[in-house]
């Protein structure tokens, strides 16, 4: 059974940093892409980072590039989203998700390719 557990959310002032973690378990090696998404109530879920786990290569969306980075710790089966220079518009619930089988690098963008989701962690950035 696939399990994804996010942690690290919280409240921070603009310009601050947070690091989100997603501990993943129960998935087959054929599922190679882990994505970070965020969602504001009433808006569509937005992908912000995708990590190809065989080599750790990461794609960052244009909206957060230069401020957010993705990484992984294979020994812990955990992926991270480092968020720097946070802005109030980054306020959202952040989710990690694992892609369908046999996705290749660069990982497919878009939530339709991601099958299992964590419960989300709230990030609030105040001005």
């Amino acid at each position: 059974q696939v399990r994804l557990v996010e942690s690290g959310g919280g409240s921070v002032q603009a310009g601050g940093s947070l690091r989100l973690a997603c501990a993943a378990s129960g998935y087959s090696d054929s599922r190679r892409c882990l994505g970070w998404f965020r969602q504001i109530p009433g808006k569509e879920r937005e992908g912000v980072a995708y990590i190809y786990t065989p080599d750790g290569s990461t794609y960052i969306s244009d909206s957060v590039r230069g401020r957010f980075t993705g990484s992984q710790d294979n020994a812990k089966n955990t992926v991270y989203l480092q968020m720097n220079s946070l802005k109030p518009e980054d306020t959202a619930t952040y989710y990690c998700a694992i892609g369908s089988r046999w996705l290749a690098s660069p990982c497919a963008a878009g939530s339709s390719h991601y099958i299992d989701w964590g419960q989300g962690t709230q990030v609030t950035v105040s001005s």
Side-chain angles (χ1 to χ4, degrees):
Q1 180 179 357
V2 176
R3 188 163 184 246
L4 301 168
V5 180
E6 302 99 335
S7 61
S11 297
V12 64
Q13 289 192 326
S17 298
L18 285 172
R19 188 176 79 155
L20 306 183
C22 173
S25 61
Y27 63 96
S28 71
D29 289 343
S30 64
R31 302 180 70 184
R32 300 171 174 177
C33 287
L34 278 154
W36 283 102
F37 296 81
R38 65 185 182 184
Q39 189 167 27
I40 301 169
K43 293 195 173 183
E44 288 190 4
R45 197 164 288 187
E46 175 193 12
V48 295
Y50 305 92
I51 300 167
Y52 184 66
T53 56
D55 62 11
S57 56
T58 304
Y59 170 80
I60 304 294
S61 72
D62 289 345
S63 63
V64 300
R65 189 171 297 147
R67 299 188 297 120
F68 290 15
T69 56
S71 63
Q72 64 179 3
D73 184 333
N74 288 335
K76 296 181 179 180
N77 285 336
T78 299
V79 295
Y80 301 95
L81 183 67
Q82 178 67 43
M83 307 185 295
N84 298 327
S85 302
L86 283 161
K87 304 176 181 180
E89 51 264 43
D90 295 318
T91 295
T93 302
Y94 284 72
Y95 300 88
C96 68
I98 190 164
S100 56
R101 297 176 65 193
W102 307 118
L103 291 178
S105 180
C107 289
S111 59
S112 63
H113 298 283
Y114 294 81
I115 309 302
D116 293 286
W117 294 78
Q119 81 289 350
T121 186
Q122 178 67 35
V123 171
T124 303
V125 185
S126 58
S127 58

